[in-house]
Amino acid sequence: MPRTQFLGTGLALPDRVVTNAELSQVMDTTDEWIRVRTGIEERRWAREGETGAALGHAAAIQALDAAGVTSGELDAIVYATSTPDHFAPGNGVYLQKLLGAGTIPAIDIRMQCSGFIYALSVADAWIRSGTYRKILVVGQEIQSTGMDVSTRGRNTAVIFADGAGAVVLGPTDDPSRGILSFDLHSEGAHAELLWVDVPGSMYHPRISEELVHAGRHFLQMDGKEVFRHASTRMPESVRAALASAGCASGDLSLLIPHQANLRISEMVAKALALRPDQVYNNIQRYGNTTAATIPICLDECVRAGRIKPGDLLALTAFGSGFTWGSCVVRW
């Protein structure tokens, strides 16, 4: 049975940079308040008319070029986003159209911040089973259009941002490399601690003036509970994935955690007894781009030489659902 290897990576970010100082002009916050609580210094927000599918396409083109693969060689697309351009269909088919990829399957994974890990698990199963060989996996979000950019919504508006990352995956018969293991979980009892209520099909109509006036279409988060669960679940999951791969945290070359909050990443690193140079963070520059955070980090690390052949990586995420999971990779 083949393993799944990473053939190429890519990223795309809006060119609009939103600083903490800019946000302090429209809500009761300060640069210091945001930095101390989240570690974020600036983030990228899409400009009016900029689509998620376009960001996904730009990241995909980079990943395909890096892999030396054409869109016509792809067997499938797995697209992770919680913020599709339309209620239906998902962004996967729009990316397929932009790429001119033909009538291959293009599916959407809606697992929010854990989306990229779950998307990898689907693609890995397809490759290991021999169903498909070359698969494009994308994590992309435009969160800025769903933020309450006011003092009422500052606990989310200062954190969430926009971007896309992509990887091309393929099979390898080399037993010393590739994806080694996954650890996946969810706990629906906490679903409404981090959620977007509307539009939703339980309402008739799915969205109304009353619901909008109440702010139910904005992302809502109980930050303290999310912090508490994430800082515990993420290191637990990394340990479980490492154990499944026959490894330990001391074997890791690099941990790439979901960029939810710099303080969470620091607590995860401490729980796993990792040095600062063993953990990659870019939330300072990009904020929390949900399903896009890990593939954006991956691409930056690859292009900066932070990841070398033979390195052992752990990818881990936690988010709405609650859902969380980890993946261990021998590069």
Side-chain angles (χ1 to χ4, degrees):
M1 182 179 294
R3 278 186 172 159
T4 301
Q5 64 177 330
F6 288 75
L7 303 176
T9 64
L11 67 78
L13 295 155
D15 64 7
R16 179 189 173 193
V17 177
V18 179
T19 65
N20 293 343
E22 183 176 338
L23 292 180
S24 71
Q25 302 301 308
V26 294
M27 63 181 70
D28 183 13
T29 191
T30 64
D31 175 65
E32 181 183 14
W33 190 92
I34 296 170
R35 288 184 190 233
V36 168
R37 286 160 179 78
T38 70
I40 299 170
E41 300 170 15
E42 60 186 37
R43 73 284 294 145
R44 304 293 185 93
W45 283 3
R47 297 185 185 277
E48 186 174 353
E50 190 169 12
T51 69
L55 283 173
H57 179 244
I61 291 298
Q62 283 191 10
L64 288 165
D65 287 347
V69 174
T70 67
S71 59
E73 295 176 278
L74 290 174
D75 298 308
I77 296 170
V78 185
Y79 200 112
T81 186
S82 60
T83 56
D85 294 335
H86 307 283
F87 194 90
N91 276 9
V93 295
Y94 287 105
L95 174 58
Q96 176 188 24
K97 177 182 177 181
L98 290 170
L99 288 171
T103 58
I104 60 174
I107 70 168
D108 278 53
I109 300 292
R110 196 172 161 206
M111 300 299 291
Q112 296 70 246
C113 295
S114 304
F116 185 73
I117 299 293
Y118 273 79
L120 283 180
S121 73
V122 172
D124 177 62
W126 278 347
I127 290 172
R128 288 172 61 85
S129 67
T131 304
Y132 302 116
R133 290 183 59 81
K134 290 185 172 65
I135 302 178
L136 174 65
V137 179
V138 176
Q140 173 269 310
E141 305 287 352
I142 291 185
Q143 292 283 8
S144 59
T145 56
M147 296 294 104
D148 181 355
V149 187
S150 70
T151 299
R152 180 179 69 168
R154 68 178 178 178
N155 69 318
T156 55
V158 303
I159 295 173
F160 289 90
D162 309 339
V167 300
V168 178
L169 305 177
T172 177
D173 294 322
D174 185 347
S176 67
R177 65 180 306 194
I179 292 177
L180 305 183
S181 64
F182 285 95
D183 178 72
L184 304 173
H185 301 275
S186 65
E187 192 172 13
H190 306 297
E192 294 176 6
L193 296 182
L194 177 53
W195 72 323
V196 180
D197 188 13
V198 298
S201 58
M202 68 175 286
Y203 299 107
H204 185 72
R206 290 176 177 173
I207 191 165
S208 65
E209 184 176 350
E210 180 183 5
L211 291 169
V212 170
H213 182 72
R216 303 279 282 278
H217 61 302
F218 290 131
L219 179 68
Q220 306 290 331
M221 179 175 69
D222 184 329
K224 289 183 179 179
E225 282 300 296
V226 171
F227 190 103
R228 183 172 70 86
H229 283 267
S231 59
T232 300
R233 296 300 197 182
M234 289 168 73
E236 286 178 351
S237 182
V238 171
R239 290 192 197 98
L242 285 166
S244 181
C247 305
S249 59
D251 301 320
L252 282 175
S253 304
L254 191 65
L255 171 70
I256 299 181
H258 165 56
Q259 303 295 292
N261 183 306
L262 185 60
R263 310 308 164 215
I264 293 175
S265 294
E266 291 169 346
M267 291 185 70
V268 172
K270 182 177 181 180
L272 295 170
L274 298 176
R275 303 183 309 273
D277 64 293
Q278 291 177 285
V279 185
Y280 187 76
N281 289 294
N282 62 12
I283 192 172
Q284 303 94 324
R285 291 176 285 125
Y286 302 141
N288 179 348
T289 57
T290 318
T293 67
I294 291 176
I296 288 173
C297 287
L298 266 175
D299 184 65
E300 288 194 326
C301 287
V302 168
R303 295 178 191 274
R306 290 286 302 272
I307 299 175
K308 301 177 293 296
D311 281 355
L312 186 70
L313 312 181
L315 318 175
T316 187
F318 179 94
S320 174
F322 286 153
T323 64
W324 64 96
S326 300
C327 174
V328 173
V329 182
R330 179 71 70 180
W331 201 259

